[in-house]
Amino acid sequence: MQLRSVFLTLPLLSLYQPAALADRDHEAPRHQPPPRHTTPKHMQRAPSSGRLEVEKIILGGRGLQGTRIEVRYRLIDVKEFPAHPMTTSIVDDQSRQLIQISKLPMLVAPVPAEKAASTPPGKLYFWDQEGIIKPGSKISVMVAGLASLHLPVEAGPDYDPAAAQVAEAVIEKPKLPADATLKVHQVKDSGNGLLNVWFSTTGVDAITAGAEHTYVINQKTGEKLPVLRVPRIGLLAPKHLEHTDGSFMVINNQGRQVKRGDHITVVVVGLEQPDVLVE
């Protein structure tokens, strides 16, 4: 019985030899041209089980952080995440520019392949500060170590090609006294793409002309929503603060990214109050 086992095993071993060993006598030339599309180095990771399916990549409006890039995705048949689940980024194929995610929200739950079509995609948001990515660009996406390469980008309804080319000037944050305070009394969703913010401050004289340090942060996506600016009127925010009954400002929430029940961070001249409920 022992001899039979040896003779049965030897042919099986030859069938399951790695290709590199089986073709050792017929090696390909060492200097071969590289493939036309190569995987970006930062995406050459040991793959997790399963795959990343990207449904759509949408360019949105430009805010204080840059042009918004929305990635709609699903995780298919993922059994476990790789050792570094925070590896989430995008790369523009042409410029090779890497854009890492500023704040990684909770990833969507993986789904089996047969349920993917009926499962709504998750959303991730990236910010292109330099206006490199445009409609028609192709980018590679990595989510939690899983990559999907050379995907087309399309313009969303709020994409403005003129605004996307303008780089925001970096303006120094105003110097405030150490005891300056901000208290947000209420934030209401007006229902027409605007947020009404009632707040009080101490130690702050006025909101700067450009309001670069006055905005609202959507805590789900990390996006900064600016103070609404109206032609011929300017910012819908008070010129002078420290009123005894508080001050009001109007935040531009076009597309209604922030909804009632969401939590936001309110920033006024650099002073922050997080976890404010939108009513």
Side-chain angles (χ1 to χ4, degrees):
M1 290 296 293
Q2 195 168 9
L3 286 175
R4 178 184 295 180
S5 175
V6 171
F7 287 118
L8 286 173
T9 303
L10 286 176
L12 291 175
L13 284 174
S14 65
L15 289 174
Y16 288 94
Q17 281 181 322
L21 294 178
D23 296 334
R24 182 159 32 189
D25 296 331
H26 305 282
E27 288 184 294
R30 292 186 179 182
H31 301 288
Q32 294 185 354
R36 185 173 181 181
H37 293 294
T38 57
T39 303
K41 287 185 178 180
H42 83 287
M43 293 186 174
Q44 294 172 358
R45 314 278 183 181
S48 166
S49 58
R51 61 187 173 89
L52 167 67
E53 177 186 272
V54 177
E55 178 182 279
K56 191 175 288 188
I57 304 170
I58 305 172
L59 275 183
R62 185 172 182 86
L64 297 174
Q65 294 172 282
T67 302
R68 183 181 71 254
I69 303 171
E70 177 184 316
V71 176
R72 300 181 184 179
Y73 73 102
R74 296 181 184 89
L75 299 173
I76 310 296
D77 291 332
V78 175
K79 304 302 180 185
E80 61 178 354
F81 288 116
H84 302 287
M86 291 297 286
T87 308
T88 299
S89 57
I90 60 177
V91 173
D92 176 48
D93 283 5
Q94 183 174 0
S95 67
R96 315 305 296 166
Q97 179 72 34
L98 170 69
I99 301 176
Q100 293 182 320
I101 198 161
S102 55
K103 180 181 180 182
L104 182 64
M106 184 177 294
L107 295 176
V108 295
V111 296
E114 60 270 17
K115 294 184 178 180
S118 60
T119 304
K123 296 180 181 180
L124 293 174
Y125 296 90
F126 300 83
W127 307 98
D128 179 9
Q129 295 182 348
E130 302 177 23
I132 294 172
I133 298 175
K134 301 175 178 61
S137 296
K138 288 193 175 182
I139 66 174
S140 297
V141 179
M142 174 180 275
V143 177
L146 296 168
S148 190
L149 308 179
H150 318 307
L151 305 170
V153 178
E154 64 182 68
D158 58 341
Y159 174 73
D160 182 352
Q165 303 303 319
V166 179
E168 298 288 340
V170 178
I171 299 179
E172 186 177 355
K173 181 178 176 181
K175 293 182 179 180
L176 301 175
D179 58 351
T181 63
L182 165 66
K183 181 178 181 181
V184 179
H185 304 291
Q186 190 177 48
V187 176
K188 279 196 169 185
D189 178 4
S190 67
N192 59 355
L194 303 174
L195 300 177
N196 299 319
V197 182
W198 176 33
F199 65 97
S200 298
T201 60
T202 62
V204 182
D205 296 328
I207 294 175
T208 54
E212 292 84 4
H213 301 287
T214 301
Y215 46 82
V216 157
I217 301 174
N218 181 353
Q219 292 186 183
K220 289 190 301 184
T221 66
E223 180 173 6
K224 296 178 181 179
L225 307 180
V227 178
L228 181 67
R229 185 183 295 273
V230 179
R232 299 186 181 181
I233 296 176
L235 295 172
L236 290 190
K239 293 184 179 179
H240 304 287
L241 302 178
E242 294 197 70
H243 300 297
T244 56
D245 56 348
S247 303
F248 283 90
M249 66 179 178
V250 180
I251 296 295
N252 190 343
N253 185 35
Q254 297 301 317
R256 299 202 61 204
Q257 296 174 45
V258 172
K259 300 178 177 61
R260 294 175 187 176
D262 289 347
H263 286 82
I264 60 174
T265 296
V266 177
V267 183
V268 178
V269 197
L271 299 172
E272 297 188 12
Q273 182 173 329
D275 299 319
V276 179
L277 177 66
V278 177
E279 301 177 12

